[in-house]
Amino acid sequence: MKLIIHGGFFSESLTNQEIKKAKQEALTEIVKLGYKYLESHTAVETAVYAVSLLENSDLFNAGTGSQIQSDGKIRLSAALMDGKSLRFSGVINVEEVKNPICIAEKLLTYDDRVLSGKGAKDFARQNGFGYYNPETPQRRKEYDKKLSDSIRIGTVGCVALDVFGDLAAATSTGGKGFEIPGRVSDSATTAGNYANGCAAISCTGVGEDIVSGALASTIVTRVTDGMSLSLATEKTFNELKPINGFAGVIGISSTGEIYHADTYPYMVWALHDGEPLVFQ
Ligand code: ASP
């Protein structure tokens, strides 16, 4: 059993040690709760649980406390991939919901598994996900000041390996901040979130770079073809160099290898394989 979670990149924490500490504490708490949950739940159930806890923390850019887009609205994207059934589901740019990852979970059993915008919101309402405003005063303050350096502050993700040896990945984001309405984040694509029976990956960073590198699916494919998770991740990150890609990933392979990589060393993440450890 292994669990790894991330809280994205954090530009504000470079100057604000208090926020950095708060994020580390939140990750420690959530990785512990997630690991406990994993003892009696599957990888896919645990990935959803851990990401929903991260969404509920206003420290991260997912669910409550997500960043505001250029037109003043918050739009959320999230995806789930079950490495056992090989099903991918997600929501793109859904408004006025609390936990987009739970809507992605609901969609996992449907034929149509990735919904966007109004269709995603209508589906959510029909399935009991009520109105919720994820805005916080802090995000409104940043938006009003149009702080360009507030980008990249904390998409969330989780990768889990359960007692049965099955893998799952879940990722959730409020986007990169101040984007053009309609912009699609990598988080609800197979570039940002991917899993199969061999490996599972959750990404954060600049969505356009992550999609250009087809990051999560490329790493998983390389592991499937026999590479170790660390080599597969490093090789794929090398391929981001020509575009100066900005990205970070967490991953687990079916052999139990856990790996993290980032192009800039200020991603926040935590793992639990019996003992909880927080990095950054
Ligand atoms: N990858 C997300 C996006 O581009 C942002 C992030 O990870 O912080 O929408």
Side-chain angles (χ1 to χ4, degrees):
M1 252 175 39
K2 308 216 184 235
L3 190 72
I4 184 164
I5 61 174
H6 75 79
F9 285 97
F10 52 96
S11 50
E12 83 275 56
S13 311
L14 294 177
T15 49
N16 189 331
Q17 289 303 315
E18 236 171 77
I19 295 180
K20 181 174 175 177
K21 197 164 164 271
K23 285 190 176 187
Q24 287 173 330
E25 281 169 8
L27 284 175
T28 311
E29 192 52 36
I30 292 170
V31 86
K32 280 190 201 160
L33 287 169
Y35 194 78
K36 183 95 203 114
Y37 199 81
L38 189 57
E39 285 171 1
S40 53
H41 293 83
T42 63
V44 74
E45 287 164 347
T46 305
V48 170
Y49 173 69
V51 166
S52 71
L53 295 180
L54 289 161
E55 286 176 340
N56 292 345
S57 165
D58 64 6
L59 292 167
F60 303 105
N61 177 30
T64 303
S66 285
Q67 295 190 104
I68 301 174
Q69 301 193 344
S70 61
D71 62 348
K73 292 194 173 158
I74 291 176
R75 296 182 182 84
L76 308 173
S77 300
L80 176 65
M81 183 145 187
D82 178 7
K84 190 180 178 196
S85 65
L86 299 180
R87 283 181 164 237
F88 179 99
S89 61
V91 287
I92 296 173
N93 290 327
V94 61
E95 291 177 42
E96 297 171 343
V97 296
K98 186 172 184 195
N99 290 111
I101 195 62
C102 298
I103 307 169
E105 181 183 34
K106 184 83 199 167
L107 280 164
L108 202 61
T109 56
Y110 281 71
D111 288 341
D112 301 342
R113 290 194 287 278
V114 183
L115 299 181
S116 72
K118 186 175 177 307
K121 186 162 124 182
D122 290 347
F123 175 86
R125 294 290 183 266
Q126 283 154 18
N127 285 279
F129 297 92
Y131 170 88
Y132 182 79
N133 179 4
E135 185 179 312
T136 58
Q138 176 62 23
R139 294 294 184 242
R140 177 56 60 179
K141 213 168 84 191
E142 287 165 9
Y143 176 78
D144 288 343
K145 280 193 186 159
K146 294 220 184 318
L147 290 176
S148 57
D149 69 352
S150 74
I151 62 164
R152 303 165 193 155
I153 54 166
T155 289
V156 302
C158 174
V159 173
L161 173 68
D162 64 25
V163 279
F164 309 106
D166 296 321
L167 290 155
T171 307
S172 182
T173 189
K176 64 179 179 183
F178 307 114
E179 58 264 71
I180 300 172
R183 181 243 179 201
V184 173
S185 161
D186 63 289
S187 303
T189 73
T190 54
N193 188 81
Y194 198 66
N196 67 10
C198 298
I201 296 284
S202 168
C203 301
T204 184
V206 174
E208 286 69 10
D209 297 349
I210 293 167
V211 168
S212 297
L215 222 54
S217 51
T218 301
I219 295 170
V220 170
T221 302
R222 286 187 162 139
V223 175
T224 306
D225 289 345
M227 230 178 234
S228 69
L229 180 62
S230 49
L231 257 180
T233 306
E234 289 308 325
K235 186 169 168 59
T236 310
F237 266 64
N238 266 333
E239 291 164 357
L240 282 180
K241 282 183 183 157
I243 59 164
N244 197 22
F246 187 114
V249 302
I250 54 169
I252 305 180
S253 75
S254 56
T255 60
E257 186 185 356
I258 301 190
Y259 201 67
H260 153 264
D262 52 33
T263 53
Y264 293 85
Y266 45 94
M267 181 177 166
V268 66
W269 58 284
L271 71 84
H272 202 313
D273 58 358
E275 285 300 315
L277 291 170
V278 182
F279 295 90
Q280 263 295 351

